[in-house]
Amino acid sequence: MTLKAIIFDVDGTLAETEEAHRIAFNEEFAAWDLPWEWDSALYKELLKVTGGRERIRHYIAEHNPPRGQEMLQRVDELHKAKSERYMRKIREGGVPLRPGVKRLIEEAKAAGLKVGVATTTSTPNVEALIEATLGRPAAEVFDAMACGEEVSAKKPAPDLFTLALNKLGVAHNEAVAIEDSRNGLLSALRAGMPAIITPSGYTEDENFTDALAVVSHLGEPDNPYRHIAGFGFSAQMITPGLLARWTEGWGGRPTMKEPPAGLKVH
Ligand code: XBP
Ligand code: MG
């Protein structure tokens, strides 16, 4: 494999956005006079279902909250209002990019790699986050974006990573995914891609057994990552050079269940 692209997840990976999502859901529920409150423990459970609309439907089905059946008919409306509320919060600032994200994007571009995103959230949310954190349009920062509204099956299905690969014009074995969740890892593996995991607050105890490497964040020169599992034991930052070395032996195929054995740890 020759590494040609890096594809980033957004929520939890580029930034710790899930608290802003959770608060936006709760504020919107209150605005609709719904006696629904998603605390952190419940939200952690609900995050297993990717996509905000899907998450609301799942909550109604599993928790049978007051006015659930009424709201089932209005999920799109409720979710649209939540998304607008979320974007307002993001535009106010206060949700920074995680360590090493800006650095790795810049280093990847300087090394001639393409950079994309594959996310279950919708395009305007990504645009708001990138504008608020990098001060530039997302379309200038990324060579391609694959967002939730473009596919019928969200993560852990492979569709979003496959779409990002197609838009970037690279093969599944020429790109690496950067993810924070088990669902995201499965999505990448099912698309035939290797993945590096930087767990986020809500995903840190998930199972990342099949990842190439698990590190606390991407690392900065003055803020090295903490190695958790896999490759990268002796490194301090995820760089394009390291990613190219770690993915050299990658022989993954779309829909594969296990990564290939026998990759050397550098
Ligand atoms: C993130 C999600 C998203 C957000 C909410 O998953 O599951 O649904 O929580 O976003 P990933 P929307 O990081 O794996 O893409 O409400 O806009 O769907
Ligand atoms: Mg994520």
Side-chain angles (χ1 to χ4, degrees), residues 6-18 21 86 95-102 104-105 116-119 129-130 142 155 161 176-185 195-203 208 215-219:
I6 300 177
I7 303 179
F8 290 86
D9 168 49
V10 173
D11 290 310
T13 300
L14 293 186
E16 285 276 13
T17 51
E18 285 302 351
H21 279 294
Y86 169 79
V95 183
L97 295 180
R98 292 186 63 189
V101 168
K102 181 169 185 278
L104 182 57
I105 291 172
V117 297
T119 174
L129 178 69
I130 296 304
F142 298 112
K155 300 172 189 176
F161 278 105
V176 62
I178 312 287
E179 265 289 353
D180 74 304
S181 70
R182 174 80 184 154
N183 276 328
L185 169 62
I196 307 297
I197 305 294
T198 54
S200 56
Y202 275 107
T203 63
F208 300 122
V215 291
S216 58
H217 53 70
L218 295 172

Side-chain angles (χ1 to χ4, degrees), residues 3 6 11 19 22 34-36 42 44 78 83-84 94 98 101 121-122 147 157 163 182 206 214 216-217 230 232 254:
L3 186 66
I6 300 177
D11 290 310
E19 271 308 274
R22 185 179 74 84
L34 292 166
W36 303 357
L42 174 59
K44 186 168 177 155
L78 177 63
S83 298
E84 279 157 13
R98 292 186 63 189
V101 168
T121 202
S122 49
C147 299
L163 180 62
R182 174 80 184 154
E206 291 186 358
V214 186
S216 58
H217 53 70

Side-chain angles (χ1 to χ4, degrees), residues 123-140:
T123 306
N125 285 357
V126 184
E127 289 170 341
L129 178 69
I130 296 304
E131 192 70 57
T133 52
L134 293 178
R136 293 167 60 200
E140 267 180 27

Side-chain angles (χ1 to χ4, degrees), residues 1 7 48-50 54-55 64 85 92 101 181 189 202-203:
M1 153 165 176
I7 303 179
K48 302 282 185 284
V49 177
T50 61
E54 292 82 351
R55 192 167 299 145
N64 194 23
R85 189 179 287 276
E92 281 165 13
V101 168
S181 70
L189 290 173
Y202 275 107
T203 63

